[in-house]
Amino acid sequence: MLVCCLFLGIAAVSRAQGGGQRRTPEERAKMLQTQLKLTDDQTAKITVIYTAQTTKMDSIRTAGGDRSAMMPIMQATNDKIKALLTPDQATAYQKMLDERRARMQQGGGGGGGGN
């Protein structure tokens, strides 16, 4: 689970670096809605979860914290999202996390997180 959190954080940083800007919580939730066929209710709840995560992570960044300080937040976010999903959606979500983690390990997940 902790590895999945790390993976999501690294994926978010990687996307932010590659895309020039971070995705908003709404954009992230919409992506999951498309990929996991979420209901509107699930999407709304996940948007709230991502918004809370973004606020906490920004506070840590502002305070000069590193990824290790963010990992518990990322893990909690993953756990909250999984709790909202059906078993099939949760399986697909875990697969997405695993694939992103594998890509990060393979393609240079060691880049800094300075946005």
Side-chain angles (χ1 to χ4, degrees), residues 9-10 12-18 61 66-67 104 108-115:
I10 291 171
V13 169
S14 173
R15 284 188 187 181
Q17 289 173 345
R61 280 187 199 99
D66 61 7
R67 282 190 190 140
M104 292 308 299
N115 269 10

Side-chain angles (χ1 to χ4, degrees), residues 7-90:
F7 154 73
L8 272 185
I10 291 171
V13 169
S14 173
R15 284 188 187 181
Q17 289 173 345
Q21 64 184 15
R22 266 189 264 158
R23 294 181 196 268
T24 67
E26 293 80 9
E27 290 169 336
R28 294 171 67 195
K30 283 289 185 188
M31 285 179 54
L32 279 185
Q33 183 179 32
T34 301
Q35 294 169 329
L36 300 177
K37 297 177 179 45
L38 302 178
T39 65
D40 289 341
D41 184 54
Q42 286 174 309
T43 304
K45 290 176 180 176
I46 289 172
T47 300
V48 171
I49 293 168
Y50 278 145
T51 301
Q53 178 196 34
T54 299
T55 301
K56 291 176 186 174
M57 302 264 284
D58 286 346
S59 294
I60 291 171
R61 280 187 199 99
T62 302
D66 61 7
R67 282 190 190 140
S68 63
M70 297 179 193
M71 288 180 64
I73 296 168
M74 292 184 284
Q75 182 61 48
T77 297
N78 286 341
D79 292 344
K80 289 175 186 175
I81 289 172
K82 285 180 186 177
L84 296 173
L85 302 177
T86 67
D88 287 342
Q89 290 170 329

